[in-house]
Amino acid sequence: SSPHLVQVRERIRINGQPISKDLFNKYFWLVYNRLEETKDPAHASMPAYFRFLTIMAFHVFLQEKVDLAVVEVGIGGTYDCTNIIRAPVVCGVSSLGIDHTSILGDTMEKIAWQKGGIFKPGVPAFTVAQPERPLEVLRERAQERKCPLYLCPELDDFEEGCQALELGLAGAHQRSNAALALQLARTWLQRRGCQGMGELKEVPPSPELLGRPVPLAPAFRLTDAMIQGLRDTEWLGRTQVLSHGPVTWYLDGAHTTSSIQACVRWFRQAALNQDKPHDGSEVRVLLFNATGDRDTAALLKLLVPCHFDYAVFCPNFTEVSVTNNADQQNFNVTLENALTRCLENQRTWTRLLEEKVGQDPWLPSPLRVGGLLQPAPARGSLLLVPPAPRPLNSPALVFPCLAQALRWVAQGRDPHLAAPAASGAHPHPAASSGAVLLREAAAVRVLVTGSLHLVGGALRLLDPALSQ
């Protein structure tokens, strides 16, 4: 799977656990040296990062003799380097969304065409309810490739006559993922000749599925192992909650409009429906970054209704130091680009709040904020210096790295994070007043979203055990 959150070993798992450092080291050098010895002298380049790890993953699975390998496509499908498996047991396409548009295309139909590239002759494939046109594209791709394609019934259809299924992953969108997982698992178990799978249930198509161009797969009675599997599923960085005393971190790697919508629904249910603390105030903080060609303004607009007291923007770098070390020169250019994007996000957020004023009496009237990036070598960091006259109540702040952002939010109240250093105080006037509120609040609720890499960096700092 990709990307990893904290350590690269997470991408290659056996029995759900990242492979050990020793195994990773062994197979990395084995694959590297073999490729180095056999590469074509005329085209003497090694595979790029993702391709190398894909080759290595296949090698690990073969050498370790796994019974079953679940391979998540990197980007798209048709041209993805994972798509070299000629005869998989089964294929699945989950809910489609707009992402990686510069590679996959800017419409759902184009993206569906790319995803349908994993279909193989005679190999069953399953998908979940999709918009009409993209579903037709998937059907056309399946017909081209002589692949039998089925639509998964809703999870409700598996629950008829038994108790409601409990999912380990929060969020309503996980129900369609679970329905897809059940169909993929059953197909593999059938291929293995497993008995006692439970009888099939004929599912009458629901009104929204009537007339769809893809036949509906039957539901079936779940085994105890399947019910337990759905209940015990964990996935770091997806609808994950870390309670650290008065500070609760809500982590979700959503980075498309559809996944941010799902994230907002989950956050409102998990955090905003909680009773306000009796003994004091609650402060809500958004920590956000987005990368690539994503429409950041569209993502941020979806987050406005959560009524955050502060929005914090920072790059996906865990720590940052500005030195004259030539080894870091390219890194600093990258950092500057990343910080420029954070400043754009800050301006976008402020504009969105200004547009909201008048529609929502809860919101204060923030002033427009802009800023310059100036190195502060004495502090070893890049800081946002707001222009004069300084805005007095803008709730949007930019930090040069995750560590500084998290320390400011936690204000020494999270045992995993040190208190923010006074010498590195943020120059924005809202930072000092916000620090007082954060220190005194009975509850601080922080949503970290917009990028899986951002969530991974936050997890590295908030759960040090993951780095072991």
Side-chain angles (χ1 to χ4, degrees):
S1 62
S2 63
H4 61 274
L5 291 174
V6 178
Q7 297 196 74
V8 67
R9 295 183 293 111
E10 297 166 25
R11 293 174 183 241
I12 305 173
R13 297 168 181 261
I14 296 179
N15 293 333
Q17 296 302 312
I19 61 173
S20 68
K21 289 182 179 178
D22 287 345
L23 267 190
F24 188 92
N25 192 41
K26 168 187 165 183
Y27 286 121
F28 177 93
W29 288 112
L30 197 154
V31 172
Y32 185 92
N33 291 333
R34 188 77 52 82
L35 290 171
E36 184 70 38
E37 291 159 10
T38 57
K39 66 186 180 187
D40 180 352
H43 306 93
S45 62
M46 294 286 276
Y49 183 81
F50 184 83
R51 292 187 176 198
F52 180 90
L53 289 172
T54 303
I55 296 165
M56 182 175 154
F58 286 133
H59 187 70
V60 169
F61 294 149
L62 289 166
Q63 293 300 308
E64 295 295 313
K65 298 181 172 54
V66 300
D67 302 302
L68 160 70
V70 180
V71 179
E72 184 204 27
V73 170
I75 293 177
T78 300
Y79 304 117
D80 192 81
C81 64
T82 57
N83 195 26
I84 60 167
I85 305 170
R86 294 189 182 125
V89 171
V90 63
C91 296
V93 176
S94 59
S95 185
L96 296 172
I98 297 284
D99 199 15
H100 303 294
T101 51
S102 60
I103 300 170
L104 305 181
D106 55 2
T107 68
M108 293 274 272
E109 288 83 357
K110 290 175 183 175
I111 290 169
W113 187 92
Q114 295 280 0
K115 302 285 185 184
I118 67 170
F119 296 155
K120 301 292 184 292
V123 173
F126 294 88
T127 189
V128 296
Q130 311 278 9
E132 189 173 350
R133 273 298 299 140
L135 187 61
E136 283 180 9
V137 172
L138 287 176
R139 182 197 60 173
E140 288 161 10
R141 293 287 272 161
Q143 286 177 336
E144 283 169 21
R145 291 162 175 265
K146 298 180 171 53
C147 157
L149 176 66
Y150 302 95
L151 199 60
C152 293
E154 301 289 339
L155 200 60
D156 300 12
D157 294 315
F158 291 90
E159 294 175 333
E160 281 184 13
C162 65
Q163 60 191 44
L165 293 166
E166 186 184 333
L167 300 186
L169 299 178
H173 59 291
Q174 296 295 356
R175 290 181 66 80
S176 75
N177 289 338
L180 179 60
L182 289 170
Q183 294 288 357
L184 300 180
R186 186 177 203 277
T187 305
W188 183 76
L189 290 167
Q190 276 183 311
R191 171 74 73 89
R192 294 283 294 224
C194 293
Q195 303 299 314
M197 295 280 296
E199 72 278 3
L200 296 175
K201 303 175 177 179
E202 282 307 317
V203 182
S206 56
E208 63 269 21
L209 297 181
L210 281 170
R212 288 296 176 98
V214 176
L216 194 65
F220 51 89
R221 191 167 57 80
L222 304 186
T223 64
D224 290 343
M226 289 175 174
I227 293 167
Q228 183 184 345
L230 293 176
R231 186 176 60 239
D232 294 349
T233 300
E234 292 179 347
W235 201 249
L236 293 180
R238 277 78 164 181
T239 60
Q240 183 180 1
V241 181
L242 293 176
S243 296
H244 291 180
V247 187
T248 307
W249 305 90
Y250 299 84
L251 303 138
D252 193 90
H255 50 271
T256 65
T257 50
S258 55
S259 60
I260 288 282
Q261 285 170 328
C263 171
V264 166
R265 286 193 296 270
W266 162 70
F267 180 68
R268 287 180 129 175
Q269 189 173 358
L272 305 190
N273 283 350
Q274 303 291 321
D275 291 334
K276 286 267 189 175
H278 297 301
D279 54 343
S281 64
E282 171 188 281
V283 178
R284 300 173 190 165
V285 182
L286 169 67
L287 178 56
F288 181 92
N289 192 41
T291 58
D293 53 7
R294 298 185 173 94
D295 182 352
T296 313
L299 303 184
L300 288 172
K301 188 172 185 177
L302 296 169
L303 291 158
V304 169
C306 291
H307 296 327
F308 292 103
D309 299 292
Y310 294 93
V312 174
F313 303 97
C314 72
N316 294 341
F317 301 119
T318 311
E319 296 273 3
V320 164
S321 66
V322 176
T323 69
N324 293 322
N325 187 336
D327 290 341
Q328 289 188 312
Q329 196 150 0
N330 289 341
F331 176 79
N332 285 332
V333 170
T334 309
L335 170 64
E336 194 167 330
N337 292 344
L339 279 167
T340 300
R341 181 150 188 178
C342 291
L343 287 166
E344 290 168 2
N345 292 341
Q346 181 194 37
R347 283 191 288 272
T348 300
W349 183 257
T350 306
R351 176 178 54 77
L352 287 167
L353 291 191
E354 285 174 345
E355 291 170 0
K356 189 79 173 159
V357 169
Q359 302 171 34
D360 191 333
W362 174 88
L363 287 166
S365 181
L367 298 170
R368 186 169 296 284
V369 52
L372 302 170
L373 293 175
Q374 295 183 359
R379 297 195 186 100
S381 62
L382 280 171
L383 292 174
L384 168 69
V385 181
R390 288 187 169 189
L392 294 177
N393 78 340
S394 169
L397 304 172
V398 172
F399 287 86
C401 67
L402 260 163
Q404 289 190 29
L406 294 179
R407 285 182 201 130
W408 180 80
V409 172
Q411 289 295 318
R413 304 179 74 191
D414 183 326
H416 294 101
L417 298 169
S423 62
H426 196 293
H428 197 296
S432 53
S433 57
V436 174
L437 286 174
L438 289 162
R439 281 196 296 270
E440 294 179 353
V444 179
R445 304 193 190 280
V446 192
L447 175 62
V448 184
T449 193
S451 161
L452 277 166
H453 300 288
L454 179 78
V455 166
L459 275 172
R460 182 190 292 271
L461 295 164
L462 296 171
D463 190 352
L466 294 173
S467 301
Q468 300 307 310

